[in-house]
Amino acid sequence: MIKVLAFDTFGTVTDWHTGVSNVLAQKFPTIDGSQLARDWRQTYAPALAEVESGVREWALLDELHRETLDRLLRDSYGVVATPTQLDAAVHAWHVIPGWPDAADSIRRLKSKFIVTALSNGNVALLTEMAKHNGFEWDFIGGADLWHHYKPASEVYLGIAELMRVRPDEVLMVAAHSADLAAARSCGLQTAYIERPYEWGPEAKEELPSPLDAFRATGMDDLADQLGC
């Protein structure tokens, strides 16, 4: 029995590469915006791991994004960004566009399930993202609710606790196998969404697990499979 659908947002529900690369191209016209976006995204997991390991204190994703971009531009591109440029780049993550099927699929799925975001973004970021794209979440699960980042168990078990359901009554939905593997280790069910062009024009190579309860070509396909 599935009662709650918990969605990863960056890459699964939204097209971060298009949104972020467009802003970076505008703010740093001498740099390839697409490549800079991909390089910036590569700093994401290590920054979160520093927080989870206790190497540094808890910080919102906005703060981590700002720090990593500033350092990346200096160290790899020889560019010293202005505060205005950094502000615009960090804010780009708040208003990245949803995939074409996302908003309508969330509305469909709400007819049968509790539908939540479950993201490493903070609540304010995810709320602005939802308003920008018309995502009608029942609940917004941001990392700042638990002061932990996925793949920490506190996030996956935290959403089940808040919704007053068993972990196996939550279906974690993501385009990332590692996210889903961590969710399964906490007892959640999992659904893999194919987003081959999450990182831009070159399709990513990632294989879903046979342990996923569902594999879908998109959120609309998942809604079909779930009878919504």
Side-chain angles (χ1 to χ4, degrees):
M1 175 74 72
I2 297 169
K3 295 182 178 179
V4 177
L5 306 185
F7 280 84
D8 169 70
T9 54
F10 301 122
T12 303
V13 180
T14 56
D15 178 7
W16 64 262
H17 178 268
T18 295
V20 173
S21 63
N22 285 345
V23 172
L24 292 176
Q26 294 169 11
K27 298 302 176 182
F28 304 97
T30 62
I31 300 176
D32 181 337
S34 177
Q35 185 61 56
L36 180 55
R38 294 195 297 272
D39 290 345
W40 191 11
R41 185 62 168 171
Q42 291 283 7
T43 69
Y44 176 81
L48 303 188
E50 285 188 357
V51 174
E52 285 303 314
S53 67
V55 170
R56 63 166 297 165
E57 294 182 351
W58 165 260
L60 291 178
L61 185 60
D62 283 341
E63 184 178 340
L64 299 177
H65 269 158
R66 188 183 186 90
E67 291 178 4
T68 55
L69 179 60
D70 190 26
R71 184 165 57 247
L72 174 65
L73 287 165
R74 290 173 184 269
D75 294 349
S76 298
Y77 290 88
V79 172
V80 177
T82 67
T84 299
Q85 287 173 314
L86 292 173
D87 288 345
V90 170
H91 185 257
W93 292 93
H94 292 227
V95 291
I96 49 179
W99 293 108
D101 61 346
D104 286 343
S105 295
I106 291 169
R107 283 189 284 270
R108 289 175 61 191
L109 291 162
K110 279 181 55 140
S111 67
K112 190 172 181 180
F113 304 97
I114 295 170
V115 182
T116 81
L118 190 63
S119 173
N120 286 332
N122 45 284
V123 172
L125 181 160
L126 297 169
T127 300
E128 188 171 1
M129 179 194 293
K131 198 169 188 65
H132 179 74
N133 288 289
F135 297 156
E136 298 178 6
W137 301 117
D138 290 310
F139 181 79
I140 293 178
D144 47 331
L145 294 177
W146 301 285
H147 280 205
H148 282 283
Y149 287 112
K150 294 184 296 178
S153 61
E154 287 87 349
V155 180
Y156 304 108
L157 297 177
I159 195 67
E161 181 180 7
L162 285 176
M163 294 297 110
R164 294 293 187 261
V165 297
R166 300 191 311 268
D168 65 309
E169 294 175 321
V170 179
L171 182 70
M172 182 70 210
V173 184
H176 313 115
S177 296
D179 194 355
L180 297 178
R184 282 195 303 275
S185 73
C186 295
L188 280 65
Q189 298 190 61
T190 57
Y192 182 86
I193 300 290
E194 297 175 10
R195 298 296 192 197
Y197 297 103
E198 174 191 352
W199 286 74
E202 295 182 8
K204 67 177 182 180
E205 296 181 4
E206 183 173 32
L207 294 175
S209 169
L211 299 177
D212 292 324
F214 299 91
R215 177 177 179 176
T217 57
M219 289 172 59
D220 49 358
D221 182 31
L222 180 64
D224 289 342
Q225 294 185 45
L226 289 171
C228 296

